[in-house]
Amino acid sequence: MAGAIVSVARATASQVQSLARFAVLLAVFLTWAKPAIADQQQPPVSFQVSKNDSAKAEALANQLAGLSPRVNREEATLLAQCAYATVSKLRRQYRMFGTPIFNNFLIYHGLRKRGYCYQWSEDLLIALDKLKLTSLELHWGEYDPRTWRENNCIVVTAKGQPFQRGIMLECWRHLGHLYCGPVASDYEHYVENSAYARFVLGKSAASNPSGINHRVAFQTGVVPKGKARDY
């Protein structure tokens, strides 16, 4: 009987030791995993969209979600809100005044730092790329490239869709007020320049996009691009 009691006591002590070791390991694991869990529980990214643009942002989100059943609705909403919030912020930073052409005149003569069509698109592309989208893709669009009429925009497609099925985001024509619509039906016939999109994003990762304006001739039509060269 005494031997049985001793055996039970030894077994109980062994179980207690095992439970203690397990508790220590569990505590270590929870300490290690806590930052990752906290990251996952962080609130989603959100953007301040003005009341004047809220209905437009919702309409853009609907357009983007309608590109394909595979488009994540939350991503479409996030992109739309980011686009309108970014363009509104850039409009203040660029201190837009008068007409697009007159604003180009101010930039050309050093009275404004940024605001050419390609700069609008560069800054918007960089902001949207930070969203790390998985169901939508961003493209660089050019109208009449390498001429005085060249204009730029960002085109958003569902992942894997061709450029011409996308929704264009154009900032310059309306003095910093975002225009959205099917790129295929726009009166300016845009083509894709994926190499320049990679250049913009790569340059952004290293420094700032087009921090210095290129000297370009002032035009009375659509602004000529100040890009140093085509990529």
Side-chain angles (χ1 to χ4, degrees), residues 85-134:
T86 299
V87 172
S88 178
K89 181 183 70 174
L90 293 176
R91 192 166 61 244
R92 295 190 298 272
Q93 290 179 350
Y94 290 173
R95 296 187 298 144
M96 302 299 289
F97 179 77
T99 66
I101 290 297
F102 183 69
N103 197 71
N104 291 347
F105 174 85
L106 296 177
I107 300 168
Y108 179 76
H109 289 284
L111 301 175
R112 292 287 189 274
K113 292 184 178 180
R114 290 177 70 79
Y116 286 136
C117 61
Y118 75 96
Q119 293 170 331
W120 280 103
S121 294
E122 284 184 355
D123 289 347
L124 181 57
L125 175 63
I126 291 166
L128 296 179
D129 181 68
K130 292 178 181 178
L131 299 178
K132 304 304 178 186
L133 305 167
T134 59

Side-chain angles (χ1 to χ4, degrees), residues 26 66 72 101 103 114 118 143 168 172-173 194 201:
L26 180 61
N72 182 299
I101 290 297
N103 197 71
R114 290 177 70 79
Y118 75 96
Y143 164 68
M168 62 180 291
W172 180 83
R173 293 190 307 216
S194 57
L201 296 176

